[in-house]
């Protein structure tokens, strides 16, 4: 069976089809069974409101202390208010981003047997293809297929990535390298905005993890009763997302409502993750987000999740703890998150960050 799709990369629209496997997400059923309908509290809206998302222009970040200071303040406000912002003038070319998107579309367009070579339900595997948020459990209401692979050090992992399409490793590898540089720069800006200095976590982040989550959301006949991904926050310090078309929604915790992230040509989206929430002692909150679907086109998102090393514990900065602001979180690692993921269903509302909170 195949999915038809239309993809948007730059100003070009192309058409092709995905050969699919037998998983619920890939079957392209003409309806969503009642047993798989989302609870009303998380029902997607066919006409979602547009989120009021901060846009940070990074052009001034590299040009003098005065302009840099203004950018740092913009980042601080965005992290504190929403845990999310879009960035422009970030230094990654449109051609490089389009190359990453085209390689993702190319992979998901491969014949099923080729993709199934990488199929695994083991969340600890460094390269794997899958079809549900809790691997091994078929859940039709979350319609997503994905490819996840480690990306740093690139030379250690790239040869384990898909060999097809033939251009995947080169195009995705080029993007991974550049987005990692950007992520390290942003992490320095964020720790500086916390008053910790730009080099606070640089050594650990330089030696840390970069995991790429390449997500594919096929067209859905009933997008009002299904989701691509249920509400969740990322485990990472920060996540940088590149998407082929809109479909990412974020929760405005102050207003208590969902809003779709508006399309901004050439922009990337930055998520505050759970480990950054821990580091900041709750000053910055991990953004709760979800992926919605549409009935017309396949959507691709490429998330670069950056954290400390697999077993390196992230704890709260001691500089942000005092009698008035006691420590609010336990320390944890990426490995701890993987163990949590293998034992829990995020689709049921279980959140990793809740396991780290200290009840004072």
């Amino acid at each position: 069976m195949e999915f038809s799709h239309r993809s948007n990369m730059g100003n070009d629209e192309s058409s092709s089809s995905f050969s699919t496997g037998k998983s619920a997400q890939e079957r392209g059923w003409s309806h969503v069974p009642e047993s798989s309908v989302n609870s009303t509290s998380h029902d997607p809206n066919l006409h979602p409101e547009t989120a009021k998302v901060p846009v940070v222009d990074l052009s001034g970040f590299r040009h003098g202390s005065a302009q840099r200071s203004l950018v740092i303040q913009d980042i601080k406000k965005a992290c504190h208010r929403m845990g999310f912002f879009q960035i422009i003038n970030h230094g990654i070319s449109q051609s490089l981003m389009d190359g990453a998107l085209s390689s993702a579309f190319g992979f998901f367009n491969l014949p099923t047997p080729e993709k199934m070579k990488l199929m695994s339900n083991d969340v600890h595997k460094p390269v794997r293809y899958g079809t549900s948020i809790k691997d091994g459990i078929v859940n039709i209401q979350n319609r997503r297929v994905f490819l996840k692979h480690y990306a740093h050090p690139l030379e250690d992992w790239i040869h384990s990535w898909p060999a097809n399409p033939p251009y995947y490793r080169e195009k995705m590898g080029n993007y991974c390298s550049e987005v990692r540089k950007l992520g390290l720069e942003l992490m320095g800006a964020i720790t500086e905005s916390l008053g910790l200095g730009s080099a606070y976590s640089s050594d650990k982040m330089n030696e840390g993890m970069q995991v790429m989550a390449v997500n594919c959301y096929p067209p859905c006949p009933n997008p009002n009763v299904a989701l691509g991904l249920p509400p969740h926050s990322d485990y990472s310090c920060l996540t940088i997302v590149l998407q082929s078309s809109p479909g990412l929604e974020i929760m405005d915790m102050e207003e208590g409502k969902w809003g779709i992230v508006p399309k901004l040509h050439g922009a990337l989206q930055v998520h505050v993750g759970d480990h950054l929430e821990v580091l900041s002692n709750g000053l910055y909150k991990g953004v709760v987000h979800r992926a919605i679907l549409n009935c017309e086109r396949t959507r691709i998102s490429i998330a670069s999740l950056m954290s400390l090393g697999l077993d390196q514990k992230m704890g709260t900065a001691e500089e942000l703890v005092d009698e008035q602001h006691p420590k609010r979180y336990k320390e944890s690692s990426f490995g701890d998150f993987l163990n949590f993921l293998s034992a829990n269903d995020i689709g049921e509302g279980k959140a990793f960050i809740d396991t780290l909170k200290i009840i004072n």
Side-chain angles (χ1 to χ4, degrees), residues 120-135:
S120 175
N121 294 325
D122 182 358
V123 300
H124 296 87
K125 287 200 71 171
V127 181
R128 62 192 180 95
Y129 171 72
T131 58
S132 64
I133 192 163
K134 188 177 190 304
D135 302 326

Side-chain angles (χ1 to χ4, degrees), residues 2-30:
E2 295 186 337
F3 284 128
S4 295
H5 82 284
R6 295 199 302 272
S7 64
N8 288 321
M9 289 179 289
N11 295 320
D12 298 326
E13 186 172 271
S14 61
S15 296
S16 64
S17 59
F18 290 146
S19 60
T20 60
K22 296 181 179 180
S23 69
Q25 289 88 344
E26 292 189 304
R27 284 175 177 170
W29 288 4
S30 61

Side-chain angles (χ1 to χ4, degrees), residues 74-87:
D74 287 343
I75 290 174
K76 180 176 183 177
K77 291 175 185 176
C79 289
H80 179 73
R81 168 67 179 82
M82 299 194 77
F84 183 89
F85 52 99
Q86 297 206 79
I87 50 175

